[in-house]
């Protein structure tokens, strides 16, 4: 089915911050589709008026998760949600890393610490983050002499009902950054280089941590690892209009999946080839 009316959902605090938006909207309108940019929490929007509702820069969802999930269900009941509801719900909780690891996909080593359990921290630097989070909010790095501060961070996340992820700080990240690989319509599309300034023993202020993003050509090995992660996604949920796999480099030079983004991922269109926006548009309206 080719759609003619699409809602591109955002949130008030994200207005003007989504670098994908202008390129994507222009490409969507070139298809002839009518596109409205609307806040996901706007009570006056008639979601049934749209053929498809794309979850895009809804970057405050993790702070309002119950409200956001209720909204997802309401939209899904009256029109087509993109990405599909089961994929979005699964991707909100980073415990999906367990499934990727069980499927043989190389992932960043992770300890999952549920509420009521005491954390064990690895030697050297490490990262503490919530299982449900976006934009690096709620995440911080710690050194070997900062276990007391890290334990307090874990207690705060547990008090908020969060499962906590404890991961060794990947040594390559300060040097090489991360590599988001973007998939459109189920196919690998493009990549970028992303450097995130994750604070040490402190939390991110604002919607997301500062980023420095540049174009990047992924290696065959990186595409292979990201494609393996997406194979699990396709098996569970079918082909998705958009998805992103974030990779880092292990000490031995191999790629590890850091995160899998199916909810509201930035798609790095400004860092991609000129046709990427049209590929996204085709996936959204086709």
């Amino acid at each position: 089915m080719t759609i003619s009316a699409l809602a591109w959902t955002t949130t008030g605090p994200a207005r003007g911050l989504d670098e994908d938006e202008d390129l994507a909207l222009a490409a969507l309108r070139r298809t002839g589709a009518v596109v409205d940019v609307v806040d996901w929490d706007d009570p006056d929007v008639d979601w049934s008026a749209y053929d498809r509702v794309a979850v895009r820069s809804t970057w405050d969802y993790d702070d309002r998760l119950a409200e956001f999930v209720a909204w997802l269900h309401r939209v899904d009941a009256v029109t087509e949600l993109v990405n599909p509801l089961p994929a979005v719900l699964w991707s909100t909780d980073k415990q999906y890393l367990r499934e990727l690891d069980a499927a043989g996909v190389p992932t960043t080593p992770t300890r999952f610490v549920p509420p009521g359990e005491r954390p064990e921290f690895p030697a050297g630097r490490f990262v503490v983050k919530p299982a449900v989070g976006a934009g690096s909010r709620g995440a911080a790095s710690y050194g070997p002499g900062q276990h007391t501060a890290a334990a307090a961070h874990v207690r705060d996340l547990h008090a908020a009902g969060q499962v906590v992820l404890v991961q060794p700080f990947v040594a390559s990240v300060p040097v090489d950054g991360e590599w988001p690989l973007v998939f459109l319509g189920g196919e690998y599309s493009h990549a970028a280089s992303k450097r995130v300034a994750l604070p040490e023993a402190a939390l991110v202020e604002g919607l997301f941590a500062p980023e420095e993003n540049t174009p990047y050509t992924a290696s065959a090995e990186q595409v292979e690892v990201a494609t393996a992660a997406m194979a699990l996604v396709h098996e569970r949920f079918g082909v998705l209009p958009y998805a992103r796999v974030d990779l880092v480099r292990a000490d031995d030079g191999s790629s590890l999946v850091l995160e899998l983004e199916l909810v509201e991922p930035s798609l790095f269109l400004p860092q991609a080839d000129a046709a990427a926006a049209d590929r996204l548009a085709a996936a959204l309206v086709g």
Side-chain angles (χ1 to χ4, degrees), residues 65-247:
L65 186 62
E67 183 182 357
F68 182 72
V69 169
W71 171 77
L72 291 171
H73 282 280
R74 288 198 304 273
V75 172
D76 186 61
V78 298
T79 188
E80 184 179 359
L81 187 69
V82 174
N83 282 320
L85 179 63
V88 172
L89 294 177
W90 180 79
S91 185
T92 59
D93 191 326
K94 294 179 180 63
Q95 292 185 83
Y96 60 69
L97 290 170
R98 298 180 191 268
E99 292 188 45
L100 291 174
D101 181 63
V105 178
T107 60
T108 304
T110 303
R111 294 176 183 171
F112 300 91
V113 188
E117 184 174 306
R118 290 173 60 89
E120 293 183 11
F121 301 124
R125 294 185 67 192
F126 58 94
V127 172
V128 171
K129 64 175 69 170
V132 179
S136 298
R137 293 195 309 279
S141 65
Y142 296 91
Q146 296 175 312
H147 287 200
T148 299
H153 185 182
V154 172
R155 287 195 297 271
D156 288 344
L157 291 174
H158 281 172
Q162 286 272 16
V163 172
V164 174
L165 278 60
V166 178
Q167 300 172 322
F169 191 90
V170 180
S172 66
V173 169
V175 178
D176 299 321
E178 305 170 13
W179 295 278
L181 273 66
V182 176
F183 288 73
L184 301 176
E187 301 291 333
Y188 170 67
S189 171
H190 60 275
S193 173
K194 179 173 76 169
R195 295 178 183 272
V196 179
L198 189 65
E200 182 170 326
L203 299 179
V204 171
E205 297 181 3
L207 275 182
F208 47 82
E211 298 178 1
E212 179 183 339
N213 304 317
T214 55
Y216 177 74
T217 300
S219 70
E221 185 265 351
Q222 288 174 316
V223 174
E224 181 180 1
V225 170
T227 299
M230 288 304 302
L232 182 146
V233 171
H234 293 156
E235 181 178 354
R236 284 194 57 137
F237 307 113
V239 173
L240 303 183
Y242 51 82
R244 200 184 83 210
V245 183
D246 290 351
L247 302 180

